Amino acid sequence: IAGITQAPTSQILAAGRRMTLRCTQDMRHNAMYWYRQDLGLGLRLIHYSNTAGTTGKGEVPDGYSVSRANTDDFPLTLASAVPSQTSVYFCASSDQAGGYNEQFFGPGTRLTVL
Amino acid sequence: GQNIDQPTEMTATEGAIVQINCTYQTSGFNGLFWYQQHAGEAPTFLSYNVLDGLEEKGRFSSFLSRSKGYSYLLLKELQMKDSASYLCAVMADDYKLSFGAGTTVTVRA
């Protein structure tokens, strides 16, 4: 059982390029999340999806888009990358949104935008 | 927005006890989580509190006081492998998690 996988593990990207970070879970969880983690700021929610076919904006959604075509996959797209999007990106999932529902995190993608 | 505060760093000796405090001000409250994150790895779940009081789970315990907007994570019998960052996260009215910046605990021999 893999849990949550993310790809790529790391990436160096030129500013202005388009980039999609992939996230797949095999736990049949309804809810999925994208966070970025920056030193001194902790994890911040970018976008979320409570169930397949629905998405919502988190705390820092600008410059990012997501889609949830099925239960397992939740890709994050940077349409035109900027240096301030240099960060470590974590995808997470939980059985349900809210309440005592532990979030399981993927291994992360380290993205550098030059 | 949500405001969650925890100390940046703590150092303790192997075998000792360390208490990591977390204070929060959020729009509503639906539970408080503690996660552990080793350097370069993903966060992993440690504990969940939604009612006041102490939850004990082996060497780790977590306490919550909703009226004070306060929680702590207690790590007992510290081991070298406990060196990590500990993240306090609050679930507010919108059922989304807001994280503190994390407390880096260093365990020394």
Side-chain angles (χ1 to χ4, degrees), chain A residues 33 35 37 40-43 45 48 50 90 97-103 105-107 110, chain B residues 30 33 35 37 40-45 48 57 87 91 95-102:
Chain A
Y33 313 86
Y35 294 91
Q37 187 173 39
L41 294 178
L43 286 157
L45 183 66
Y48 65 91
N50 289 337
F90 287 101
Y100 172 44
N101 282 288
E102 170 191 350
Q103 289 189 16
F105 285 81
R110 184 175 295 276
Chain B
N30 283 296
F33 294 75
Y35 281 81
Q37 185 177 25
E41 298 183 8
T44 55
F45 170 80
Y48 170 75
K57 190 184 293 186
L87 315 179
M91 183 171 287
Y95 291 98
K96 302 296 171 288
L97 282 182
S98 293
F99 285 82

Side-chain angles (χ1 to χ4, degrees), chain A residues 1-6 23-33 50 68 70-74 90-96 101-107, chain B residues 35 42-45:
Chain A
I1 297 176
I4 300 183
T5 58
Q6 293 184 235
C23 174
T24 300
Q25 53 102 0
D26 63 3
M27 297 176 283
R28 309 302 295 170
H29 283 170
N30 286 307
M32 297 186 75
Y33 313 86
N50 289 337
R68 187 89 183 276
N70 56 60
T71 298
D72 299 343
D73 301 300
F74 191 42
F90 287 101
C91 179
S93 72
S94 63
D95 188 32
Q96 299 289 340
N101 282 288
E102 170 191 350
Q103 289 189 16
F104 294 83
F105 285 81
Chain B
Y35 281 81
T44 55
F45 170 80

Side-chain angles (χ1 to χ4, degrees), chain A residues 51-81:
Chain A
T51 189
T54 69
T55 62
K57 294 181 179 180
E59 180 185 354
V60 288
D62 294 344
Y64 306 95
S65 63
V66 292
S67 61
R68 187 89 183 276
N70 56 60
T71 298
D72 299 343
D73 301 300
F74 191 42
L76 176 75
T77 297
L78 289 68
S80 179

Side-chain angles (χ1 to χ4, degrees), chain B residues 17-66:
Chain B
I17 299 173
V18 68
Q19 177 175 315
I20 306 169
N21 296 324
C22 172
T23 59
Y24 63 89
Q25 292 177 302
T26 58
S27 305
F29 179 82
N30 283 296
L32 187 143
F33 294 75
W34 285 95
Y35 281 81
Q36 180 189 58
Q37 185 177 25
H38 285 100
E41 298 183 8
T44 55
F45 170 80
L46 284 178
S47 68
Y48 170 75
N49 294 69
V50 68
L51 300 176
D52 288 353
L54 187 68
E55 294 280 344
E56 297 187 83
K57 190 184 293 186
R59 295 188 298 113
F60 293 1
S61 304
S62 56
F63 172 84
L64 175 67
S65 169
R66 289 173 297 172

